């Protein structure tokens, strides 16, 4: 049932206000301003699928210590965690933080498949040893018959299998020297699976950084950022503490992230060792911002006549809030035609692990995004988040990271 009449789905309001976010679910004014931003409201058009109602459920859990019904749980879990509501909320509710706390309070007990996935992304060594398996599978010709057999569906593996890309098997090098006069040294966050499944973006990042005079370190001891754990009610403390220790020990000018989903998580790292977490956050940069700040006038990219549409991942719009940097950086390519995708405020459905935990909802959101992409008549669509690109490309998309486009236009020296 609707408890207020403000249920229209128009353009959401512009980001509001400044100052700290309020981490108290009881402070929601129930004004409904967040509703227009919510992708699940767009899908279901009921009050139960609005941020306002989810905050109410979270308040029951965290403030009033009341049990929640199975129905309330279902609607809470349907949240894509895009945090669009947080961006427009005039009360500056800390929705992302509250959602994670609620998930932890609910003591989520993952199924065997989720447990296995958590273990694999915690253990990069295991992950690397297993990588030849998907590579062999993709080459074997078994993919089509296996899909047809229905076995993947029975094993609840069909959604994950549909996203499978060819993995890079070798580890990245530990250090990549500057390709021009050296100006400094940075460390690159590569996380868990991106090193295998988004190798092209990471190599593009390294090439660009080397071209502006930075040596790039890729510490092999680093691990998953912890976002998947934290957003699914699991503790990410071990992963967070490991990354803080690994990167803080390096003598570098900055720690850079190239995937906005990981970057959003890294930018909010907290730890029992508050000073260490603060040092980590102080040296953390989104790679787009870093490249813009340190670009040298003598580095001229080659021209391109491509028409590019920019997809703005939720993690970039609603957490990092630096989406403009992508447009400015792409303007370094002479002749490029650059435009924002329409309705960039609507999530593509990927939502970290949401595409696997809620495949039907995610597919509906993806279909909406694919319609927009088709209507854009762009030659290429760029997205700064690996998860969004994988999800959209699995449905016939043509998405790449903006760094790949930039690196291709580097002059041959
Ligand atoms: S979360 Fe914010 S925008 Fe949404 S109903 Fe509450 S106060 Fe209003
Ligand atoms: S995080 Fe996104 S999906 Fe979840 S309530 Fe907010 S706007 Fe809706």
């Amino acid at each position: 049932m609707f408890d207020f009449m403000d249920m229209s789905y128009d353009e959401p309001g512009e980001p509001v206000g400044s100052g700290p976010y309020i981490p108290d679910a009881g402070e929601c004014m129930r004004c409904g301003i967040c509703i227009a931003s919510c992708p699940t409201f767009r899908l279901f058009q009921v009050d139960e699928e609005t941020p306002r109602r989810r905050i109410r459920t979270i308040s029951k859990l965290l403030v009033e210590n009341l049990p929640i019904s199975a129905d309330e749980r279902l609607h809470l879990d349907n949240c894509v965690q895009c945090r669009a509501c947080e961006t427009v909320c005039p009360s500056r509710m800390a929705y992302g933080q509250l959602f994670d706390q609620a998930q932890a309070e609910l003591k989520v007990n993952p199924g065997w498949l989720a447990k296995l996935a958590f273990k694999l992304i915690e253990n990069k060594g295991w992950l690397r040893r297993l990588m030849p398996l998907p590579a062999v599978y993709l080459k074997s010709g078994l993919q089509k018959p296996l899909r047809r057999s229905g076995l993947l569906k029975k094993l609840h593996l069909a959604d994950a299998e549909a996203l499978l890309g060819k993995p890079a098997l070798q580890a990245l090098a530990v250090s990549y020297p500057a390709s021009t006069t050296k100006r400094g040294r940075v460390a690159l966050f590569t996380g868990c699976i991106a090193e295998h499944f988004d190798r092209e973006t990471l190599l593009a990042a390294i090439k660009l950084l080397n071209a502006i005079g930075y040596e790039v370190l890729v510490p092999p001891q680093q691990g998953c950022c912890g976002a998947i754990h934290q957003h699914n009610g699991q503790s990410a403390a071990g992963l967070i503490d490991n990354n803080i220790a690994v990167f803080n020990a390096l003598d570098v000018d900055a720690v850079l992230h190239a995937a906005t989903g990981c970057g959003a998580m890294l930018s909010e790292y907290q730890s029992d060792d508050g000073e260490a977490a603060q040092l980590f956050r102080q040296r953390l940069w989104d790679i787009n911002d870093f490249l813009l700040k340190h670009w040298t006038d003598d580095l001229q990219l080659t021209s391109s006549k491509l028409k590019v549409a920019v997809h703005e991942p939720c993690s970039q719009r609603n957490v990092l809030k630096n989406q403009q940097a992508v447009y400015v950086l792409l303007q370094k390519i002479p002749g490029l035609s650059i435009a924002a995708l329409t309705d960039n405020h609507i999530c593509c459905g990927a939502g970290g692990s949401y595409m696997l935990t809620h495949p039907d909802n995610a597919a509906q959101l993806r279909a909406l995004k694919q319609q927009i992409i088709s209507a854009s008549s762009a030659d290429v669509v760029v997205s700064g988040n690996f998860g969004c690109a994988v999800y959209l490309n699995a449905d016939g998309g043509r998405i790449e990271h903006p760094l790949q486009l930039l690196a291709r236009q580097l002059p041959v020296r």
Side-chain angles (χ1 to χ4, degrees):
M1 287 295 294
F2 299 169
D3 56 0
F4 277 74
M5 292 312 291
D6 178 12
M7 301 292 289
S8 58
Y9 192 92
D10 299 321
E11 278 288 299
E14 285 301 305
V16 290
S18 58
Y21 282 103
I22 300 173
D24 181 348
E27 293 291 314
C28 170
M29 300 186 297
R30 301 169 65 71
C31 64
I33 287 173
C34 51
I35 291 172
S37 307
C38 181
T40 57
F41 175 69
R42 184 169 197 160
L43 290 184
F44 298 104
Q45 304 276 314
V46 293
D47 193 49
E48 287 80 356
E49 289 290 340
T50 63
R52 174 174 65 190
R53 189 61 84 88
R54 292 190 178 116
I55 291 261
R56 174 76 197 108
T57 302
I58 293 171
S59 180
K60 275 174 91 173
L61 270 170
L62 300 181
V63 182
E64 297 157 58
N65 291 318
L66 292 171
I68 61 168
S69 68
D71 210 39
E72 286 169 321
R73 175 71 187 272
L74 176 86
H75 294 301
L76 183 65
D77 286 350
N78 271 347
C79 171
V80 193
Q81 300 174 60
C82 67
R83 291 170 67 172
C85 49
E86 189 177 287
T87 303
V88 298
C89 171
S91 296
R92 295 186 61 76
M93 300 300 303
Y95 182 87
Q97 191 182 330
L98 290 167
F99 183 89
D100 288 348
Q101 286 170 7
Q103 290 296 321
E105 180 69 21
L106 285 165
K107 304 198 175 28
V108 180
N109 189 15
W112 71 269
L113 206 51
K115 270 189 194 143
L116 179 65
F118 287 136
K119 281 285 164 223
L120 282 177
I121 56 179
E122 281 165 26
N123 292 281
K124 283 181 70 175
W126 295 3
L127 201 59
R128 180 160 297 123
R129 281 193 283 278
L130 285 175
M131 274 307 121
L133 292 179
V136 168
Y137 168 68
L138 289 173
K139 260 179 109 175
S140 68
L142 282 173
Q143 201 169 17
K144 276 188 187 161
L146 207 57
R147 282 181 178 182
R148 274 199 301 266
S149 74
L151 185 63
L152 292 168
K153 275 214 166 83
K154 272 190 198 140
L155 294 171
H156 304 289
L157 288 170
D159 295 310
E161 193 268 353
L163 302 173
L164 204 56
K166 191 175 167 210
L169 301 181
Q170 300 304 317
L172 284 164
V174 175
S175 168
Y176 292 82
S179 51
T180 183
T181 310
K182 185 174 169 183
R183 297 163 68 200
R185 182 194 290 139
V186 294
L188 184 62
F189 180 82
T190 57
C192 48
I193 59 172
E195 189 168 334
H196 298 288
F197 292 105
D198 198 22
R199 177 65 63 98
E200 282 176 31
T201 297
L202 296 174
L203 291 177
I206 291 165
K207 216 170 152 189
L208 287 160
L209 290 163
N210 290 161
I212 61 166
Y214 282 85
E215 178 189 2
V216 180
L217 303 186
V218 185
Q221 307 87 344
Q222 66 177 299
C224 174
C225 65
I228 298 281
H229 286 66
Q230 185 156 303
H231 303 329
N232 287 283
Q234 310 298 304
S235 172
L239 294 165
I240 292 172
D241 287 343
N242 174 63
N243 282 328
I244 289 175
V246 167
F247 285 99
N248 282 1
L250 297 176
D251 178 18
V252 290
D253 303 313
V255 175
L256 309 179
H257 56 80
T260 61
C262 304
M265 177 72 187
L266 299 173
S267 71
E268 296 184 335
Y269 263 11
Q270 301 286 343
S271 165
D272 289 342
D273 186 344
E275 268 182 42
Q278 194 183 6
L279 173 64
F280 178 86
R281 292 195 307 269
Q282 274 168 358
R283 298 202 303 175
L284 185 69
W285 283 70
D286 178 282
I287 191 164
N288 299 294
D289 294 328
F290 189 89
L291 286 170
L292 269 183
K293 183 165 168 55
H294 299 279
W295 199 270
T296 51
D297 290 343
D298 63 339
L299 181 59
Q300 302 287 328
L301 299 181
T302 59
S303 66
S304 167
K305 294 261 179 280
L306 286 177
K307 192 175 167 192
V308 179
V310 179
H311 166 256
E312 299 172 5
C314 303
S315 44
Q316 189 166 39
R317 279 179 66 91
N318 303 327
V319 185
L320 299 171
K321 297 185 169 73
N322 73 333
Q323 63 271 30
Q324 284 311 317
V326 176
Y327 297 86
V328 182
L329 203 51
L330 288 174
Q331 284 166 15
K332 303 264 179 214
I333 303 176
L336 202 67
S337 161
I338 310 159
L341 265 187
T342 310
D343 280 352
N344 256 329
H345 60 279
I346 296 292
C347 175
C348 68
S353 57
Y354 193 81
M355 54 186 148
L356 298 175
T357 58
H358 293 75
D360 296 338
N361 297 353
Q364 287 185 61
L365 290 170
R366 178 171 64 181
L368 289 171
K369 191 65 74 181
Q370 296 290 33
Q371 281 173 17
I372 290 166
I373 289 173
S374 301
S376 76
S377 69
D379 300 309
V380 58
V381 178
V382 294
S383 171
N385 194 38
F386 165 58
C388 306
V390 166
Y391 190 52
L392 291 166
N393 285 339
D395 190 36
R398 50 187 194 285
I399 322 293
E400 66 176 3
H401 198 290
L403 295 181
Q404 291 184 35
L405 184 54
L406 284 158
R408 272 202 304 278
Q409 303 308 123
L410 279 169
V412 181
R413 294 199 195 223

